[in-house]
Amino acid sequence: MSYPGYPPTGYPPFPGYPPAGQESTFPPPGQYPYPTGFPPVGGGAYPPAPSSGYPGAGGYPATAGYPTPGGYPGAPPPGGAPSYPGGGFPGGQMPSQYPGGQGPYPSQPAAMTQGAQGTIRPAANFDAMRDAEVLRKAMKGFGTDEQAIVNIVANRSNDQRQKIKAAFKTMYGKDLIKDLKSELSGNMEELILALFMPPTYYDAWSLRNAMKGAGTQERVLIEILCTRTNQEIREIVRCYQSEFGRDLEKDIRSDTSGHFERLLVSMCQGNRDENQNVNHQLAQEDAQRLYQAGEGRLGTDESCFNMILATRSFPQLKATMEAYSRVANRDLLSSVAREFSGNVESGLKTILQCALNRPAFFAERLYYSMKGAGTDDSTLVRIVVTRSEIDLVQIKQMFKQMYQKTLSTMIVSDTSGDYRRLLLAIVGQ
């Protein structure tokens, strides 16, 4: 299965985010030149890919990094897929050649780790004023021409959308976001507003929303904090402070507790090692330490897991997972599942899944946002929007490989109307 090479399109800096008086929902003019791209959270167990799907998984040498916009170092290079706990095996049959007899969690083929590809590219002959005019016409008079809005929004990069917002205010003295909010509602409104937020702001806003009011949406905290690059995390922390006047770490401390709180506080330091070279000696030692902190003793030494999973680079963690399978005779993901539970288990697994194969992690989250009765629209919107200029192409490939159906087919059966049209326009066929 050869994957096309892909120059990742980085996010250029965006102009400020206008709406005044709406600080709670949108960034005030505190503009920030943040580049960014970000991933989401791991659901339950990964239904692994059928063994036939990969041309010799394991035959690949670990490749170098993964230059995502934020300069993402820790991409999942390839290597033998360790067994992945739980999850029905989509193909029905379970390959016996995996340790533990469980299906493999798809590890990325070499070609895929070199870069990544978004489904949205900047429009070629871009004219912000012309787009602003089309949007104004689409919202004037009776009714709204949703198709005209979809055509523009789905075919412009985030940076271009920021420019359209600025042009709209200059030309009409009105706020584009407020106008859109008054014309739209429900999921369509959430999707459009997300597309118009600068990426770093959208992450910060999602975190704030996850902790506001009663109850905390831990999945969202995990999805963002355990998957972003150091640079992205530091920008999110700054933006959270400048836009909401709050300290992210303090909010996390007051909304979570125990080992889960420690893991998230570690994550929001944005201090993970980002060196792309793997130290095999260290991987061996870490694997031994993790074994002795969990499977090799009565009880679990949680701080040892936290220390290693929070500080090592993603390529280093991948090598540690491979070494661990040899030391413990079972893969690290299933050991984490046996030693931990609840949110801290999900957080630790998310870090390991990102080290192995980040697109597969998002594919799984998307699948579970639509599987079964009802749809978790916020997760669907968040992942599609945040990955649209980073690696949505790879996420779609993994989705098809893991679930034997395309992401767009699932979106078609789970959504409707303009919301469905816009999602499909972003995802592409």
Side-chain angles (χ1 to χ4, degrees):
M1 206 191 280
S2 72
Y3 290 88
Y6 14 72
T9 49
Y11 285 105
F14 347 85
Y17 200 86
Q22 259 190 291
E23 287 76 326
S24 58
T25 358
F26 279 96
Q31 50 246 71
Y32 32 103
Y34 294 153
T36 249
F38 21 90
V41 184
Y46 270 87
S51 54
S52 59
Y54 265 96
Y60 290 103
T63 55
Y66 180 80
T68 325
Y72 198 87
S83 73
Y84 201 88
F89 201 65
Q93 86 296 13
M94 284 226 172
S96 53
Q97 73 273 27
Y98 284 90
Q102 285 137 330
Y105 172 69
S107 179
Q108 260 174 311
M112 233 167 126
T113 63
Q114 293 310 336
Q117 227 173 352
T119 52
I120 290 185
R121 300 274 160 93
N125 306 307
F126 174 65
D127 177 342
M129 293 178 81
R130 188 181 60 214
D131 285 352
E133 202 173 343
V134 173
L135 290 174
R136 173 95 175 101
K137 285 203 181 98
M139 296 185 287
K140 254 179 104 165
F142 290 108
T144 308
D145 179 356
E146 277 93 356
Q147 191 56 52
I149 298 176
V150 167
N151 293 344
I152 286 184
V153 177
N155 295 298
R156 303 291 182 272
S157 66
N158 189 286
D159 181 49
Q160 291 175 332
R161 291 184 213 116
Q162 304 310 317
K163 292 182 173 134
I164 295 171
K165 228 162 35 185
F168 192 92
K169 188 165 264 189
T170 305
M171 293 162 72
Y172 307 112
K174 294 179 64 144
D175 192 271
L176 175 59
I177 303 303
K178 281 191 178 143
D179 278 17
L180 286 166
K181 280 184 86 148
S182 66
E183 298 290 329
L184 307 165
S185 63
N187 295 326
M188 180 66 168
E189 178 185 351
E190 184 175 351
L191 178 54
I192 293 262
L193 296 189
L195 287 163
F196 273 105
M197 290 184 199
T200 302
Y201 180 83
Y202 184 34
D203 269 0
W205 178 86
S206 300
L207 290 170
R208 178 77 193 102
N209 255 20
M211 294 186 281
K212 244 167 64 178
T216 303
Q217 297 165 308
E218 290 86 1
R219 280 247 173 260
V220 178
L221 305 183
I222 293 170
E223 176 187 316
I224 295 172
L225 296 171
C226 295
T227 60
R228 306 299 192 249
T229 65
N230 287 350
Q231 188 186 356
E232 287 161 2
I233 290 196
R234 288 172 184 175
E235 280 157 359
I236 290 166
V237 169
R238 273 203 298 273
C239 174
Y240 194 90
Q241 179 67 61
S242 66
E243 305 299 332
F244 309 116
R246 303 179 69 93
D247 180 330
L248 179 58
E249 190 183 313
K250 247 189 214 146
D251 279 359
I252 287 171
R253 284 183 191 282
S254 65
D255 268 57
T256 58
S257 61
H259 298 294
F260 181 52
E261 173 194 330
R262 288 176 217 171
L263 179 66
L264 293 185
V265 168
S266 295
M267 292 299 103
C268 70
Q269 302 314 301
N271 264 335
R272 181 181 296 286
D273 172 29
E274 293 195 333
N275 174 1
Q276 289 310 286
N277 303 320
V278 172
N279 173 340
H280 292 284
Q281 173 67 42
L282 178 66
Q284 190 56 44
E285 288 164 14
D286 280 351
Q288 199 63 54
R289 275 188 206 132
L290 290 170
Y291 179 71
Q292 278 153 7
E295 300 280 3
R297 55 169 285 174
L298 203 60
T300 308
D301 173 3
E302 294 88 358
S303 65
C304 176
F305 279 84
N306 194 94
M307 189 276 286
I308 293 172
L309 270 63
T311 60
R312 307 292 188 244
S313 72
F314 284 111
Q316 181 68 34
L317 283 174
K318 189 168 194 300
T320 305
M321 291 171 84
E322 282 158 15
Y324 186 89
S325 307
R326 295 192 292 273
V327 171
N329 231 346
R330 79 153 34 96
D331 71 293
L332 186 51
L333 279 158
S334 58
S335 286
V336 166
R338 287 159 57 101
E339 299 291 327
F340 295 87
S341 62
N343 296 317
V344 67
E345 176 195 349
S346 307
L348 294 171
K349 278 182 163 172
T350 297
I351 294 168
L352 295 175
Q353 286 159 349
C354 277
L356 267 187
N357 184 336
R358 200 193 217 98
F361 164 71
F362 290 126
E364 186 216 37
R365 291 285 291 142
L366 283 169
Y367 178 76
Y368 284 105
S369 74
M370 295 181 279
K371 185 181 180 289
T375 303
D376 173 359
D377 292 287
S378 289
T379 296
L380 175 58
V381 166
R382 197 173 51 250
I383 297 179
V384 166
V385 172
T386 57
R387 307 317 290 175
S388 63
E389 290 180 55
I390 298 175
D391 54 4
L392 194 50
V393 169
Q394 283 63 49
I395 292 169
K396 284 162 61 181
Q397 287 166 344
M398 288 312 312
F399 191 95
K400 189 160 186 211
Q401 194 185 315
M402 290 161 71
Y403 304 109
Q404 280 76 55
K405 59 171 116 177
T406 65
L407 175 56
S408 47
T409 343
M410 201 152 174
I411 288 173
V412 166
S413 62
D414 256 66
T415 59
S416 62
D418 297 311
Y419 172 54
R420 168 162 71 187
R421 275 221 295 272
L422 180 49
L423 281 171
L424 291 174
I426 298 166
V427 169
Q429 290 313 306

